[in-house]
Amino acid sequence: MAIMSSPLTFQPVLDRIAAEIGQTPDRGHPADYIPALAACDPHRFGMAVAELDGTVYGVGDWRQPFSTQSLTKVFTLALDLAREADELWEHVGREPSGNPFNSLVQLEYENGIPRNPFINAGALVVTDRLHSQTGDAAGTLLDFLRAESGNDGLAINEDVAASESAHGDRNAALGHFMASYGNIRNPVPVLLDEYFRQCSVEASCADLALATGFLARHGIRADGSRLLTMSQAKQVNAVMLTCGTYDAAGEFAYRVGLPGKSGVGGGVIAVVPGRCTLCVWSPGLDEHGNSVAGVTALDRFTTITGLSVF
Amino acid sequence: MAIMSSPLTFQPVLDRIAAEIGQTPDRGHPADYIPALAACDPHRFGMAVAELDGTVYGVGDWRQPFSTQSLTKVFTLALDLAREADELWEHVGREPSGNPFNSLVQLEYENGIPRNPFINAGALVVTDRLHSQTGDAAGTLLDFLRAESGNDGLAINEDVAASESAHGDRNAALGHFMASYGNIRNPVPVLLDEYFRQCSVEASCADLALATGFLARHGIRADGSRLLTMSQAKQVNAVMLTCGTYDAAGEFAYRVGLPGKSGVGGGVIAVVPGRCTLCVWSPGLDEHGNSVAGVTALDRFTTITGLSVF
Amino acid sequence: MAIMSSPLTFQPVLDRIAAEIGQTPDRGHPADYIPALAACDPHRFGMAVAELDGTVYGVGDWRQPFSTQSLTKVFTLALDLAREADELWEHVGREPSGNPFNSLVQLEYENGIPRNPFINAGALVVTDRLHSQTGDAAGTLLDFLRAESGNDGLAINEDVAASESAHGDRNAALGHFMASYGNIRNPVPVLLDEYFRQCSVEASCADLALATGFLARHGIRADGSRLLTMSQAKQVNAVMLTCGTYDAAGEFAYRVGLPGKSGVGGGVIAVVPGRCTLCVWSPGLDEHGNSVAGVTALDRFTTITGLSVF
Amino acid sequence: MAIMSSPLTFQPVLDRIAAEIGQTPDRGHPADYIPALAACDPHRFGMAVAELDGTVYGVGDWRQPFSTQSLTKVFTLALDLAREADELWEHVGREPSGNPFNSLVQLEYENGIPRNPFINAGALVVTDRLHSQTGDAAGTLLDFLRAESGNDGLAINEDVAASESAHGDRNAALGHFMASYGNIRNPVPVLLDEYFRQCSVEASCADLALATGFLARHGIRADGSRLLTMSQAKQVNAVMLTCGTYDAAGEFAYRVGLPGKSGVGGGVIAVVPGRCTLCVWSPGLDEHGNSVAGVTALDRFTTITGLSVF
C-alpha cells in the first residue's frame, strides 16, 4: 500500500481516514448525563494533526469547538507538575486503575490516594493542588490553552459548567471522600467549581492538537520556553498511555499504540513523541466513554503511517 | 553529558550502568516462596543488549543462567497468538489489573476471564490453550527459546518445577476457579504441571535478550521467518508496557518507558521497537516483585541513551 | 420511678456486673474523631434495665447523659417504618454488610442502596426519608425520646452537632454518592444537618432503656399506643441482631445473644423481647467501635440471667 | 413415634401451612449444577416439627429422604466445636459475609480465614479440622445423624458425591486458596472427598428435625448426654441466625426470626430454643439458594404460633 503521496504532509492520510469514517454507520451514543452533551450529533467528525513547528493539517469539523471535558486533565497535570514536580506524586498515583473512571472502590482500599491523575478522583486532586499553587486553576488552564493554540477566543462555556455542577453528586462524593483522608486542601465546593469550569472549556481539534505539542517536543512550549523537563514530558506520555482512556487503556495501547487521552465530549488527543500530535472529535461514545470514531481514526492513522510507539 | 563513546556499540553504556549498580547497596530481597529462589545472592547482576542482527553486548553475570519464571509468559503469549490469533482474546483480556498478580478478586468480578495474559490467571489460560494447540506447551516454549538464542543447552530445572508444584496452592486455586467458569480446557493438574515446568526454564541474559528479538523486529524470528504479524508484535509490546510488571506497570512505564516484563527470579526483559532488546538479572526484588537493580538499570539505560518510546 | 428491692428485681444482677466491670482494667479508647467524644473518661460506666411497665433499675453512671450517636438509628428507623412501612425497604436493605460501618465499597456494587439501616449510608437514607415525611427529622426523634423516657430535658448538644459537621466529609461523600443514584431526596447539606443533629442527642442509660421499651413490648409505646405492628417490631429486632454492631454483629450475637445497637459515644442498647430492655454506657471502644465494657456487661447479663434469645 | 392429637399438638398448624403452600404456584427452580438435584420436582413439599422429647409431627413428604447438602454444615460445626472448643474460631470467623456463599473475594481480603462456618470456605475449614480430629469426618457425621434421628438407614448417596466432585472446581479453588494461607491441614483432594460425601447424606424432614434437637435442648443429645455446653449451643444458634441462609440471612431473620440453615437440596432446618426444632423440604430455590416454599412455610409457622425469638 502506498502510504503518503508526499512525505511533507499528513493531509492525504487525514482525507483517507475521513472518507473511511464517513462510511462507518455505527458511531455510538453521545454522553447523556447533561443536556449540552446529549444534544451533540454523533455523525460530526473532525481530525487535526499538528507538527512540531505548529503546522496543522485538518479534515472535517476540525475547526469546530467542542466540550473538552477530560482532555483538560492532561494540561492541568502538566501545569501542576511544572510547579510541584515529584511532590504531586505523593498525593496521586501513576498506576492504571482497572476500574471505571469514577469508582470509589479503589480509592477506599488505598486510603484516599487516587490511582492516577486521569480518573476523576485523581483529576480532582490535581485541580485542588493547581488551585492552591495559582489561586485560579481554571484560569491558569485557559491561559495556557490560549497561548499554545494561538487562539485567544477559547473560553469556558459557563452553561455547561453549571449543568455539570447540577449533576455533580458523584464528583462531590469523590471530593468529600478524599477530604476525609486529608488529601484535599481547598473547600470541596470551591474545588468542584474549579473542576467543572475546567471541564467546560471549549476548543477545536486544531486548538487541542497545537496545545498538546509540548508533549511531542519533550516539554517545550510553542514559544520555545520549557514547561516540563524532558523526563517529566516522558512521564506524562507514559501516564497517558497506561491510564488515558479509562478502563480501556490496554485496548487503546493495543489498537492505537500512542499516548492518548479521551473525554466524554467525544474528543481524543494523542502524541507521537518527537513527531506530531493529534486531536480527533466525534461525539458518539463506546461503553467505556471513548469516542468510537475517534479511536478508530487514530487506529487507522497509526496503521497507515506506521507511527506507533511500538 | 556525552552519551556513548561509539554509536556502534552499547558496551560503554552497559559498563557505566554496571559500575553505578555496583555502588548501590540496596538490592531488595530474593523471592522466598521456594528454596531454590531464596538462595540467590541479591548482589548478582547481569545485563545484556541484543541488536536486531543478533549482536549481543553484556556486562556482569550476563552469561549466567537463572530462573526465568514469569518472563516466559511473553513467549507463550506470542506462541499461542501465532497459532490462535484473536481467538485468544475471547478468553483473556488486555487491560491492566490494578491488583496483585495472583489476585482472585478481579477474576471473580469478571466471571473467570483474567484481565491480561501476564497475571498468573491469564498466563494459566495462555498455557492451557497453547497446550491444547501443541500437546506440549513447555516443550514448545523450550524449542522456541533454544532456536532464538542459539543455545541448545537451555533446559527446564525439574527440581525447581517440583518445588513450584509443592508450593502451588495459589495457582491451583486460580486454575480450578477458572475451570469452574469453563475457561480451562485441560485437566487442572495437567495444566499446572505444564505451567510450573515452563516457569522453571533457566536461561541467561544473553539468551533472553536474543529470544526477545522478534518483538523488536516486528514479529520476525532470528532465522528470518515470521512468527507474528507486525500488528500482533505491536500488540504484544503494548500489553507488556501496560501490564508487564504486575501492579507497578504505571511506575515502570513512567521510569523506564519501554515495553517490559519481569519475573520473580529477578529477570527483566525490555524491548526498544526497531532497535534492540534487553535483559537484566538481579535476584533482589521490590515489594511488587520486580528486580530492584533490574528496573534501575533499565531506567538508567533509557535515560543515558534516550531510547524510551516516549 | 421506684427501684424495687424484691427478689424479682434486676438490681443484684446489675450490682454484680458493675463490681466485675470495676475490676476490669482494659476499657478501650474513646472515639477520637471529634474533641467532645475524645474527652470522655473510659472508666465511666453506667447500666440500666427497664421492665415492660417502665420500672427501671440502674447502677453506676446510669443517670448521666451521654452522646447517643448511632443509638438513634434504631429510633429513626422505627419512626420512619411507622410512617412508610415496606416502602422504606425499597431504598435500604436488611442484610449485614460484612464491611466497616462507613464503607463505600458495597454501596457502589449495589447501586446506591445501602445494605441495612444501621450502617451510616443506610441511616442517612432513613433520615432523608423521615425528614421528607415530617419536615423535621431531628425534632421528631427528640419528641419521641422525650415522650418514651418521660424526660423533657432531653436535648441536642449543638456543639457536638457542629463538631460532627466539621468532621463530616465521609458522611458527605456517602450522601452525595447515594444522591448520584437518586436515592436521596433532600439537598445533601440539609440531610447532613438533620443527621448530625440527630446523632448529637444526649440521654442517659435510664432514658434510653425506657425509650427502647416499645421493642420489648412488640410495638407498643409507653403510653399504650401502638407505634409499630407486632411484625414490624420483630423486624426491627431482627435487623438489630444481624446488623446492630457494625462488622461485629456476629460476635455480638454469639456473645450476648440479644438484639442490640451500639454507638461511638459508648452506649449500647439491647432488647429482651417480651421481658425488658437494657442500656449500658462506657466510652472506651474496641477496634470495631463498640463499647468494651458495654458489650462485656451485656454478655455477663445474659449469662447470669439466662435471658438470651437463643 | 406417636403423633399427638391433643390441643397442644403442632399438627393443625402443619396441616394449615401445607394447605396454603399447596395453593402457591411459584416454587422457584431446583439447583441445576448437578443432575441429581436438577431432577427434583419443585412441587414436592414436606415439613416436620420435633419437640424436645422427640415427639415428631409431620405433613406432606416429611418422611421422604432428600439431599441434605449444606444442612450438614450445622452438624459438622457442632461436632468439631465439641472437640476443639474455641480453638476452632482461630481458623474461621463468626461474621456474616455480605457476599455469595462461594465467593473468594472476602477470603482474599482476610488472608484465608473464612468469614463464618456456613459459607463453603468456612465449611471446608470445619470439615478439614473435624477430619484431623476424627480421621473420618463424613463417617463421624453419619454416625451422629443416625443416633439422633434413630434412623440407622441414613446413608451417603455415593453417586451424588461423585457428581459433586465432578463439578467441584469452585470448592477445589477455595480449598487450594486457603491451603496457600496455611489454613488447611489435610491434602486438598482428601478434604474435598470428605466434604462432598458429607454434603451427599440423604435424610428426611423427620430425621433432620430430630437430629437438630440438641440445639433446642441447649446442647443435650437425644440420649441425654451433653454434646455442647449451653454457651456453645447458644453460639451455634447465633451463627445460624446471622449466617445460616447465605447472603439472605438478614431477610430470613426478618421474616422467620429463628436460627436456621438452608441447603441447595431444598431443605431448611430451624430452631425454637427451649421449645422445638423444624425441618422443611421443597426443592425449588430462590435466587439466593434458599427453598422458596421452605422459607415461606417457616415464615407462616412463626407468624401463626408466635414462636419467633423476637
Side-chain angles (χ1 to χ4, degrees), chain B residues 107 112-114 120-122 124-125 173-184 191, chain D residues 169 173:
Chain B
L107 201 52
I113 307 294
N120 285 14
L124 284 165
V125 168
L174 291 168
H176 282 291
F177 191 64
M178 294 189 291
S180 77
Y181 286 104
N183 201 22
I184 293 293
L191 164 60
Chain D
D169 275 310

Side-chain angles (χ1 to χ4, degrees), chain C residues 81 86 89 94-99 106 110 115 215 218 231 233-239 241-242 246-254 259 273 302 306-310, chain D residues 81 86 89 94-99 106 110 115 215 218 231 233-239 241-242 246-254 259 273 302 306-310:
Chain C
L81 202 54
D86 284 353
W89 302 118
R94 290 164 294 189
E95 293 300 321
S97 79
N99 282 94
Q106 212 146 21
E110 301 186 7
R115 290 283 285 185
L215 289 174
H218 301 306
S231 175
K234 289 186 177 189
Q235 290 167 359
V236 174
N237 284 335
V239 177
L241 189 69
T242 52
Y246 310 126
D247 53 345
E251 176 83 9
F252 188 85
Y254 179 93
T302 55
L307 286 174
S308 151
V309 302
F310 303 119
Chain D
L81 201 54
D86 284 354
W89 302 118
R94 290 163 295 187
E95 294 300 321
S97 79
N99 282 94
Q106 212 146 20
E110 300 186 9
R115 290 283 286 185
L215 289 174
H218 301 305
S231 175
K234 290 186 177 187
Q235 290 167 0
V236 174
N237 284 334
V239 176
L241 189 68
T242 52
Y246 310 127
D247 54 344
E251 176 83 9
F252 188 85
Y254 179 93
T302 56
L307 285 174
S308 151
V309 302
F310 303 118

Side-chain angles (χ1 to χ4, degrees), chain D residues 217-237:
Chain D
R217 288 185 301 259
H218 301 305
I220 303 297
R221 294 182 58 163
D223 65 2
S225 67
R226 181 170 287 285
L227 177 69
L228 300 178
T229 67
M230 177 174 292
S231 175
Q232 288 171 336
K234 290 186 177 187
Q235 290 167 0
V236 174
N237 284 334

Side-chain angles (χ1 to χ4, degrees), chain C residues 88-110:
Chain C
L88 172 62
W89 302 118
E90 297 174 19
H91 300 274
V92 61
R94 290 164 294 189
E95 293 300 321
S97 79
N99 282 94
F101 67 97
N102 56 2
S103 172
L104 280 90
V105 171
Q106 212 146 21
L107 202 51
E108 184 159 7
Y109 284 120
E110 301 186 7

Side-chain angles (χ1 to χ4, degrees), chain B residues 10-305:
Chain B
F10 286 110
Q11 195 62 49
V13 179
L14 297 185
D15 293 342
R16 176 175 164 188
I17 292 171
E20 291 178 8
I21 294 289
Q23 293 178 338
T24 308
D26 182 14
R27 297 295 179 87
H29 301 282
D32 57 4
Y33 71 100
I34 60 170
L37 296 181
C40 289
D41 176 0
H43 288 86
R44 302 295 294 271
F45 174 82
M47 185 170 187
V49 181
E51 296 198 286
L52 300 189
D53 65 358
T55 308
V56 184
Y57 307 87
V59 73
D61 300 311
W62 67 299
R63 293 186 183 283
Q64 169 68 41
F66 61 89
S67 193
T68 55
Q69 298 292 325
S70 291
L71 301 183
T72 57
K73 291 176 169 61
V74 173
F75 305 107
T76 50
L77 170 62
L79 290 165
D80 189 71
L81 202 53
R83 286 164 174 79
E84 287 207 275
D86 285 352
E87 168 84 10
L88 172 62
W89 302 118
E90 298 174 19
H91 300 275
V92 61
R94 291 162 296 189
E95 293 300 322
S97 79
N99 282 93
F101 67 97
N102 56 2
S103 172
L104 280 91
V105 171
Q106 211 146 21
L107 201 52
E108 183 161 8
Y109 284 119
E110 301 186 7
N111 299 317
I113 307 294
R115 290 284 285 185
N116 67 63
F118 292 158
I119 54 175
N120 285 14
L124 284 165
V125 168
V126 172
T127 298
D128 178 64
R129 300 188 71 81
L130 183 60
H131 194 65
S132 293
Q133 297 280 338
T134 63
D136 182 6
T140 301
L141 167 70
L142 195 57
D143 288 347
F144 178 80
L145 293 178
R146 285 173 175 166
E148 298 304 296
S149 66
N151 181 352
D152 286 343
L154 293 186
I156 291 165
N157 183 326
E158 299 288 353
D159 289 345
V160 169
S163 190
E164 297 276 357
S165 181
H167 295 78
D169 276 309
R170 183 65 76 105
N171 284 308
L174 291 168
H176 282 291
F177 191 64
M178 294 189 291
S180 77
Y181 286 104
N183 201 22
I184 293 293
R185 296 185 293 187
N186 293 286
V188 174
V190 169
L191 164 60
L192 292 172
D193 184 58
E194 287 298 315
Y195 181 75
F196 292 133
R197 293 183 75 238
Q198 130 195 349
C199 290
S200 304
V201 168
E202 294 188 342
S204 70
C205 290
D207 298 325
L208 291 161
L210 285 167
T212 309
F214 72 101
L215 290 174
R217 288 185 301 259
H218 302 305
I220 304 296
R221 293 183 59 162
D223 65 2
S225 66
R226 180 169 287 284
L227 177 69
L228 299 178
T229 66
M230 178 175 293
S231 175
Q232 288 172 336
K234 291 186 176 190
Q235 291 167 359
V236 174
N237 284 334
V239 177
M240 289 176 78
L241 190 69
T242 53
C243 318
T245 44
Y246 310 125
D247 53 345
E251 176 82 9
F252 188 85
Y254 179 94
R255 285 181 62 190
V256 175
L258 292 178
K261 181 78 200 79
S262 59
V264 294
V268 192
I269 56 179
V271 178
V272 185
R275 185 68 180 86
C276 63
T277 49
L278 300 99
C279 181
V280 199
W281 173 59
S282 183
L285 307 180
D286 64 20
E287 75 274 22
H288 298 293
N290 298 314
S291 170
V292 171
V295 174
T296 300
L298 291 170
D299 181 359
R300 292 299 297 142
F301 180 86
T302 56
T303 301
I304 293 170
T305 63

